Amino acid sequence: MELNHLRAWELKKLLESREVSSREVLESVLDRIKSDGKSINSFITLMEDGAQKAALKVDKKRSSGKKLGALAGIPVVVKDNICVKDNLCTCGSGILKNFIPPYDATAVELLKGEDAVIVGKTNMDEFGMGSSNENSYFGPVKNPYDLKRTPGGSSGGSAASLASDMSILALGSDTGGSVRLPASFCGVVGLKPTYGLVSRYGLVAFASSLDQVGCLTKDVKDCAMLLSAVAGYDQRDSTSINIVRKDYTKSWEDDLKDIKIGVPKEYFGGGLNKEVKENVLKGIEALEREGFKTLEVSMPGTDRSIAVYYVLCMAEASSNLARYDGARYGFRTKETFDLDLMYKKTRTKGFGDEVKRRIILGTYVLSKGYFKAYYQKAQKVRTIIKKDFDRAFEKVDFLITPTSPTTAFKLGEKIEDPLTMYLSDVYTTSANLTGIPAISLPCGKDSFGLPIGLQIMGKPLSEELLLKVAYTFEQNLKR
Ligand code: GLN
């Protein structure tokens, strides 16, 4: 078995018993990246030198008997909207193609503190805006299961790196499904934690009330390892939740028999691909066989979530992206010395089409005459959606749904039709609107051999139990 095919928890054992070195693990990942990295296009920056130094440092620390962190020697890749000090952070955008942050994001600082080896920055839809990774300035990422298909977006580079064994762990970000959708399309695990559980400091803002750093891994145990490393209170993020740090990797074998799982009927209606539906229903039956009680619930606000999400995320994006004016960050046009014209030309050239579309629409819904009709109304409906969830969580502990209505679609299939593209997020955005944790788990394959994702959503801060339920599901699927 090649080392890059293993899980983090398996490698940890091998590293601790000194059967393998961190450098050997890194080498296996780098070899894989060198052979197929270009064709999959999952990386924007490969940090080969830095990674080699980090791996060497871990090996030296280990041989001198020093205490090592929980992820010592484990390769991790980081979505390119999360700052890694002294390395490019482009956000998949032309406007930040030269931006090198002088600091680490908190999540990255924590990874380094656990002695993880950061291997590179992964490709993504520009500023996280997209569901297919086709909105990247650096070209689309390809799905390792079929190079003609999308890996999902916007954390497509992170998910494709795992699915092609070019990394062991990956960080992504999820504003409306960007960790879960690529996880589902690439057959890996993707967790969007509770809003505020992982610090957003150093995550480049897209829509601040929805953005969350998330974990992409090859299995649930790895997800627990990665979450344990990056979750925790951070003074530098005013929305960070002040709770005691947890180790999510403990006690997998707890008795979960009293747990009730709700199946929201609105998530199984029109637009859902037949094979996805069949597989997810089989997944639910598997959990019933494990002794979980399931019951149908109704979430009438479900069909509003896409409209609400897109109004709010565009409004927030138009405000957040105002900072890219050519004066402070990244790209600046050299065509003019006139200040107004410089702003205009820099932004016209620096941003891609989808980002411009969102800035225009976001500015529109925030403008004086339309604020009440769109932005304020969307905030009200957001509260109604939240009430749906509160009501459901009075009856059940978790909700189970498909992650996406389809499996990975073909590159080019939806790019000309933004509204159809937006519908890919129909099952994922409500977890962001309500701030709850949600995980996507592999749940079989369709007749093209493409992975299907099943989503489990939980109450705020229920990650510990959510991971245990997810683990039970994963184990059942293996049998
Ligand atoms: N696909 C969604 C969008 O385009 C979600 C993006 C995200 O989660 N970053 O906005």
Side-chain angles (χ1 to χ4, degrees):
M1 179 61 117
E2 288 168 56
L3 295 175
N4 59 323
H5 290 228
L6 297 179
R7 312 288 183 251
W9 58 270
E10 293 172 312
L11 285 171
K12 189 174 160 76
K13 283 188 196 154
L14 294 175
L15 285 159
E16 281 172 355
S17 62
R18 302 196 193 185
E19 281 165 77
V20 300
S21 70
S22 313
R23 269 171 304 166
E24 284 166 332
V25 175
L26 176 64
E27 224 42 60
S28 70
V29 164
L30 289 174
D31 284 350
R32 181 76 192 99
I33 296 173
K34 281 174 193 157
S35 69
D36 275 322
K38 283 226 165 68
S39 61
I40 292 184
N41 197 26
S42 47
F43 286 90
I44 292 176
T45 305
L46 190 58
M47 296 163 44
E48 196 173 341
D49 286 351
Q52 254 146 5
K53 278 189 197 130
L56 185 66
K57 198 169 141 199
V58 172
D59 286 340
K60 279 194 178 150
K61 244 173 138 177
R62 201 182 300 278
S63 51
S64 65
K66 286 203 185 110
K67 198 176 165 338
L68 283 160
L71 297 178
I74 308 286
V76 187
V77 294
V78 176
K79 186 176 180 180
D80 209 23
N81 58 351
I82 302 172
C83 293
V84 178
K85 190 174 183 236
D86 298 334
N87 284 279
L88 274 176
C89 186
T90 70
C91 290
S93 179
I95 211 153
L96 286 179
K97 64 183 176 191
N98 300 321
F99 174 60
I100 298 181
Y103 67 103
D104 278 324
T106 299
V108 169
E109 200 174 88
L110 289 167
L111 287 178
K112 288 182 177 172
E114 295 297 348
D115 294 309
V117 173
I118 299 176
V119 179
K121 304 292 301 288
T122 53
N123 201 348
M124 57 180 283
D125 283 297
E126 188 174 0
F127 287 103
M129 300 179 193
S131 310
S132 68
N133 233 289
E134 291 165 289
N135 296 331
S136 169
Y137 175 80
F138 301 91
V141 178
K142 318 279 170 60
N143 190 316
Y145 282 86
D146 176 350
L147 298 184
K148 291 198 174 61
R149 290 178 191 266
T150 166
S154 64
S155 313
S158 288
S161 301
L162 290 178
S164 55
D165 297 307
M166 293 183 195
S167 182
I168 307 300
L169 301 171
L171 282 187
S173 70
D174 193 310
T175 304
S178 278
V179 159
R180 290 161 286 154
L181 187 71
S184 152
F185 283 9
C186 290
V188 297
V189 172
L191 171 73
K192 181 206 90 74
T194 302
Y195 183 77
L197 183 63
V198 180
S199 169
R200 288 184 296 115
Y201 179 78
L203 164 69
V204 178
F206 158 15
S208 312
S209 79
L210 304 156
D211 295 340
Q212 191 51 201
V213 172
C215 307
L216 289 127
T217 57
K218 294 182 196 175
D219 73 4
V220 175
K221 271 190 173 177
D222 275 11
C223 189
M225 265 173 92
L226 186 54
L227 183 68
S228 304
V230 296
Y233 175 62
D234 180 14
Q235 283 185 342
R236 294 175 294 189
D237 172 0
S238 60
T239 57
S240 175
I241 304 175
N242 196 348
I243 46 162
V244 183
R245 288 192 75 178
K246 261 191 193 162
D247 181 355
Y248 296 93
T249 63
K250 300 276 181 251
S251 64
W252 291 109
E253 311 303 336
D254 281 12
D255 185 9
L256 303 171
K257 295 283 181 289
D258 288 332
I259 284 179
K260 286 198 217 81
I261 300 191
V263 183
K265 61 175 186 212
E266 289 80 2
Y267 283 70
F268 292 83
L272 175 60
N273 170 290
K274 197 167 152 271
E275 288 185 273
V276 175
K277 184 172 175 175
E278 281 167 10
N279 272 270
V280 173
L281 291 177
K282 272 192 211 149
I284 295 170
E285 281 165 22
L287 281 172
E288 284 167 348
R289 278 198 303 278
E290 291 287 334
F292 291 95
K293 287 169 209 65
T294 62
L295 58 136
E296 189 180 275
V297 293
S298 176
M299 322 262 307
T302 302
D303 62 347
R304 312 281 151 81
S305 60
I306 280 287
V308 171
Y309 167 77
Y310 276 95
V311 169
L312 295 179
C313 83
M314 290 184 192
E316 293 188 31
S318 73
S319 162
N320 272 326
L321 271 59
R323 73 190 70 177
Y324 305 106
D325 53 8
R328 282 166 284 196
Y329 301 91
F331 169 75
R332 172 189 201 152
T333 183
K334 291 195 174 73
E335 284 173 43
T336 176
F337 287 110
D338 177 88
L339 185 63
D340 283 337
L341 209 58
M342 188 282 281
Y343 292 151
K344 206 168 169 178
K345 284 188 182 269
T346 296
R347 288 167 68 84
T348 302
K349 218 167 165 185
F351 290 133
D353 289 348
E354 181 62 25
V355 172
K356 281 182 202 154
R357 179 181 298 123
R358 294 192 191 201
I359 292 174
I360 292 168
L361 286 169
T363 310
Y364 178 81
V365 300
L366 287 177
S367 61
K368 194 158 176 258
Y370 296 99
F371 178 83
K372 269 201 178 137
Y374 293 103
Y375 182 77
Q376 211 169 58
K377 196 171 208 168
Q379 289 290 23
K380 285 184 183 161
V381 183
R382 183 179 192 171
T383 306
I384 293 175
I385 294 171
K386 164 121 190 351
K387 284 191 179 143
D388 263 6
F389 278 84
D390 292 345
R391 232 175 288 122
F393 285 135
E394 279 169 16
K395 283 196 236 143
V396 298
D397 303 289
F398 294 98
L399 292 162
I400 199 160
T401 74
T403 305
S404 156
T406 66
T407 51
F409 47 90
K410 292 214 170 88
L411 290 164
E413 198 178 312
K414 299 189 181 178
I415 195 72
E416 301 300 334
D417 183 359
L419 290 180
T420 309
M421 185 73 91
Y422 297 167
L423 285 174
S424 310
D425 310 324
V426 64
Y427 303 139
T428 49
T429 51
S430 40
N432 303 79
L433 291 167
T434 54
I436 60 173
I439 192 166
S440 178
L441 301 166
C443 177
K445 297 206 173 96
D446 71 4
S447 42
F448 296 103
L450 299 168
I452 291 169
L454 169 144
Q455 174 175 243
I456 310 177
M457 297 184 269
K459 297 171 193 173
L461 297 175
S462 65
E463 277 81 355
E464 196 174 2
L465 208 50
L466 174 64
L467 287 164
K468 284 180 193 167
V469 173
Y471 178 74
T472 310
F473 174 76
E474 182 184 72
Q475 297 307 306
N476 184 292
L477 215 65
K478 274 193 205 152
R479 288 201 284 272

